[in-house]
């Protein structure tokens, strides 16, 4: 039976109109012939129905029409136990579909290449400039580069739990950029972060959980002796006494004193504008110290006001330079430094400038105009100075790319800011010292009132 089957019939029966891996239809005829010889007991009508594609229809337009026997065999359904032939990739339907298929193949290949690149990312990363070899890595918050934990001496547990902000060794400067760690639990041996970073202040604690808090208190209480062990000792704090203090502190009302409150220094209305409202609160030395410190703070406040005026004068000089550039008198390379800025960073010289007619006129007008003539000059010299140069640029440096005044605006502003910051810090330190002295005097005064102590002189001379 196999020798009498024509190749065209085998093609129709085996469904081999589709091209398998670029092979010709003759090869498919051999395959179909082989499948027919493997099952000699089955009739020819039992061959499976081939799956047809649109490409098959296009191919048949260029081939001869099928015979009637082949059409009948296609309409017969497949019986059970019939062996199916293998099917290869289908032909493209038309030129457009071929182009689309090429795009799909290229996109799939690109995705596969991208996935392979992700799996084998060669970097370079880290200070070792090595690849991502699937070791634990951490990102720097400044340069956003990735670093191996082993290369920066940081293990995975610490990096994931305790590092709040990581800065690599290349970006660490010790001032603004540095690695910041979270505070660990106060219980010894626990490496979990404490609950100090929650949004609600009520939930904050120096422990990571309530169980560790209880364990810490138990360890502290266990260091104290018991009543039985301290029976012979005098004035010894025992475990029972300390636990009683803690319980009493919890049960007491808010108005009563409890453990943790200051015993003295809680008097209301004792101070008014930094001075006591009752006699005997401050000693003579303390009162003299507070008065001297307040006077120094007032002087420091006046210095801060002068520094603010310096910054205003520097801004006005820069605005005048910008106006000259807009008017076409200057170019962007022109210096524009005003000689009246010579006293901008010297406090005493600047105070003298404020007392002059030039300084008073400048701050009264709220801008920096052309400089006035000197008070000691004659009228002829004053008129000559006023007619020299353009009014828009008079008193300014007209050099281009001037080296002596290079970046004068930024330098002067930064210098004045530093002076203002130092002055404000000194005033804050004096105010803090005054507050400490007031608290100590208040505690001493309240203690004297509660204890009601007195000194009685028994003998004189």
């Amino acid at each position: 039976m196999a020798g009498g089957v024509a190749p065209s019939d085998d093609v129709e029966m085996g469904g081999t109109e589709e091209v398998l891996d670029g092979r010709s239809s003759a090869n498919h005829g051999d395959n179909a012939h082989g499948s027919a010889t493997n099952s000699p007991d089955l009739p020819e009508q039992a061959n499976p129905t081939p799956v047809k594609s649109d490409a098959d229809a296009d191919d048949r337009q260029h081939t001869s029409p099928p015979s009637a026997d082949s059409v009948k065999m296609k309409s017969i359904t497949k019986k059970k136990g019939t062996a199916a032939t293998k099917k290869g990739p289908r032909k493209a339907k038309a030129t457009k579909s071929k182009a689309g298929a090429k795009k799909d193949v290229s996109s799939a290949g690109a995705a596969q290449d991208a996935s392979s690149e992700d799996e084998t990312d060669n970097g370079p990363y880290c200070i070792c400039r090595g690849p991502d070899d699937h070791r634990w890595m951490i990102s720097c918050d400044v340069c956003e580069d990735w670093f191996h934990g082993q290369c920066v001496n940081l293990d995975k547990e610490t990096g994931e739990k305790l590092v709040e902000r990581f800065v690599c060794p290349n970006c660490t400067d010790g001032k603004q950029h540095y690695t910041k760690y979270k505070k660990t639990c106060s219980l010894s041996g626990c490496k979990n972060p404490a609950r100090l970073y929650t949004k609600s202040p009520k939930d904050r604690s120096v422990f990571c959980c309530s169980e560790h808090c209880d364990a810490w208190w138990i360890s502290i209480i266990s260091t104290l002796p018991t009543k039985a062990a301290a029976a012979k000792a005098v004035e010894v704090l025992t475990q029972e006494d300390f636990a009683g203090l803690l319980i009493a502190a919890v049960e007491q009302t808010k108005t009563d004193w409890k453990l943790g409150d200051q015993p003295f220094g809680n008097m209301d209305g004792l101070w008014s504008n930094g001075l006591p409202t009752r006699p005997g609160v401050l000693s003579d030395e303390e009162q003299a110290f507070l008065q001297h410190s307040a006077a120094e703070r007032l002087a420091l406040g006046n210095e801060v006001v002068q520094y603010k005026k310096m910054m205003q004068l520097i801004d006005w000089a820069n605005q005048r330079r910008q106006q000259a550039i807009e008017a076409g008198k200057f170019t962007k390379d022109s210096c524009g430094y005003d000689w009246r800025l010579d006293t901008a960073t010297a406090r005493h010289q600047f105070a003298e400038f404020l007392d002059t007619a030039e300084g008073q006129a400048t701050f009264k007008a709220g801008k920096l105009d052309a400089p006035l003539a000197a008070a000691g000059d004659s009228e002829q010299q004053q008129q000559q100075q006023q007619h020299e140069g353009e009014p828009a640029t008079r008193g300014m440096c007209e050099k281009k790319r001037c080296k002596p005044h290079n970046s004068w605006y930024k330098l002067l502003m930064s210098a004045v800011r530093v002076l203002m910051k130092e002055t404000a810090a000194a005033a804050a330190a004096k105010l803090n010292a005054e507050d400490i002295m007031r608290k100590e005097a208040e505690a001493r005064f309240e203690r004297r009132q509660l204890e009601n102590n007195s000194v009685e002189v028994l003998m004189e001379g």
Side-chain angles (χ1 to χ4, degrees):
M1 179 178 179
V5 180
S8 61
D9 297 336
D10 291 338
V11 172
E12 294 295 330
M13 292 170 60
T16 55
E17 294 174 354
E18 301 172 0
V19 179
L20 297 177
D21 299 330
R23 298 176 183 174
S24 62
S25 61
N27 295 333
H28 287 284
D30 297 338
N31 293 336
H33 177 70
S35 63
T37 56
N38 292 334
S39 56
D41 298 334
L42 297 178
E44 294 180 359
Q45 289 83 355
N47 286 325
T49 304
V51 180
K52 297 180 180 180
S53 60
D54 297 336
D56 299 335
D58 295 339
D59 294 337
R60 289 184 178 181
Q61 292 178 2
H62 304 284
T63 59
S64 59
S67 60
D69 296 335
S70 62
V71 174
K72 292 180 181 180
M73 283 187 273
K74 290 178 184 177
S75 61
I76 300 174
T77 58
K78 177 183 175 182
K79 292 184 179 181
K80 293 183 179 180
T82 305
T85 58
K86 293 183 179 180
K87 296 180 175 57
R90 300 179 182 177
K91 259 188 177 181
K93 182 176 180 181
T95 305
K96 293 183 179 179
S97 61
K98 288 182 180 179
K102 289 182 180 179
K103 291 182 180 179
D104 296 340
V105 171
S106 61
S107 61
Q112 185 176 3
D113 295 339
S115 62
S116 62
E117 289 178 1
D118 294 341
E119 293 175 357
T120 59
D121 192 355
N122 294 326
Y125 298 107
C126 190
I127 55 178
C128 66
R129 309 314 296 164
D132 180 9
D133 50 3
H134 303 289
R135 289 184 293 169
W136 181 78
M137 302 180 72
I138 188 170
S139 174
C140 176
D141 289 353
V142 180
C143 63
E144 297 183 356
D145 194 5
W146 288 86
F147 296 83
H148 301 106
Q150 294 178 353
C151 297
V152 294
N153 297 325
L154 187 66
D155 59 286
K156 181 179 180 181
E157 182 180 2
T158 304
E160 292 181 350
K161 289 184 178 180
L162 300 180
V163 173
E164 184 176 357
R165 181 175 183 264
F166 174 74
V167 179
C168 67
N170 299 330
C171 300
T172 300
D173 56 6
K175 296 180 180 180
Q176 184 179 2
H177 303 301
Y178 56 91
T179 301
K180 187 176 181 181
Y181 292 88
K182 297 180 181 179
K183 179 178 175 58
T184 57
C185 179
S186 296
L187 184 64
S188 178
C190 180
K191 295 185 179 181
N192 294 325
R195 292 179 297 175
L196 297 175
Y197 310 95
T198 58
K199 295 182 179 180
S200 177
K202 296 181 180 180
D203 299 335
R204 295 175 184 174
S205 173
V206 295
F207 301 95
C208 63
C209 58
S210 301
E211 290 77 7
H212 284 192
C213 178
D214 297 339
W216 184 86
W217 276 108
I218 291 172
S219 64
I220 294 298
I221 295 175
S222 62
T223 59
L224 300 175
T226 60
K227 277 190 176 182
K232 297 181 180 180
V234 181
E235 296 182 356
V236 175
L237 182 63
T238 62
Q239 296 182 8
E240 293 79 4
D241 296 336
F242 188 66
L245 287 174
L246 295 177
I247 295 173
V250 175
E251 293 178 352
Q252 283 176 346
T253 59
K254 295 182 180 180
T255 57
D256 299 331
W257 179 87
K258 60 180 180 295
L259 187 66
D261 290 345
Q262 295 181 358
F264 305 105
N266 301 317
M267 299 182 67
D268 296 332
L270 186 62
W271 302 95
S272 177
N273 296 327
L275 298 176
T277 57
R278 298 184 185 181
V281 177
L282 296 173
S283 62
D284 296 338
E285 293 82 2
E286 291 173 343
Q287 193 168 0
F289 173 80
L290 291 178
Q291 291 177 356
H292 183 68
S293 179
E296 289 181 347
R297 283 194 298 107
L298 181 61
L300 293 174
N302 294 331
E303 290 183 15
V304 172
V305 173
Q306 284 188 358
Y307 293 144
K308 291 182 179 180
K309 289 185 177 181
M310 289 179 186
M311 297 176 69
Q312 285 182 347
L313 185 65
I314 297 171
D315 281 333
W316 292 341
N318 188 39
Q319 291 176 3
R320 189 181 179 214
R321 175 181 176 275
Q322 296 295 333
Q323 291 175 359
I325 293 174
E326 294 176 357
K329 306 298 182 181
F330 273 176
T331 62
K332 292 184 179 180
D333 296 336
S334 300
C335 176
Y337 177 82
D338 199 302
W339 62 266
R340 288 168 288 186
L341 299 178
D342 293 342
T343 61
T345 56
R347 184 169 57 86
H348 297 287
Q349 289 80 354
F350 185 76
E352 294 178 358
F353 170 75
L354 293 178
D355 294 336
T356 60
E358 181 82 22
Q360 292 178 0
T362 298
F363 282 91
K364 184 178 181 180
K367 61 180 180 178
L368 194 63
D369 294 328
L372 301 177
D377 297 340
S378 61
E379 294 182 359
Q380 184 177 1
Q381 291 177 346
Q382 293 178 2
Q383 293 178 359
Q384 184 178 359
Q385 290 177 2
Q386 291 180 358
H387 290 291
E388 288 180 354
E390 291 288 340
T393 60
R394 189 185 305 152
M396 291 192 296
C397 179
E398 299 180 359
K399 294 181 180 180
K400 294 184 178 180
R401 299 178 181 177
C402 179
K403 292 184 178 180
H405 303 142
N406 187 21
S407 303
W408 57 267
Y409 177 76
K410 294 181 179 179
L411 293 176
L412 291 177
M413 290 295 286
S414 61
V416 174
R417 288 193 183 98
V418 170
L419 294 174
M420 184 183 296
K421 185 177 181 180
E422 293 177 351
T423 305
K430 291 186 177 297
L431 183 60
N432 187 31
E434 294 175 13
D435 293 338
I436 292 174
M437 179 169 287
R438 290 190 185 94
K439 290 180 180 179
E440 294 177 352
E442 182 179 352
R444 185 179 64 247
F445 178 75
E446 186 179 2
R447 184 169 185 172
R448 287 203 307 263
Q449 297 293 324
L450 294 175
E451 293 178 353
N452 196 19
N453 295 331
S454 61
V455 177
E456 183 179 355
V457 180
L458 298 178
M459 294 180 63
E460 294 184 359

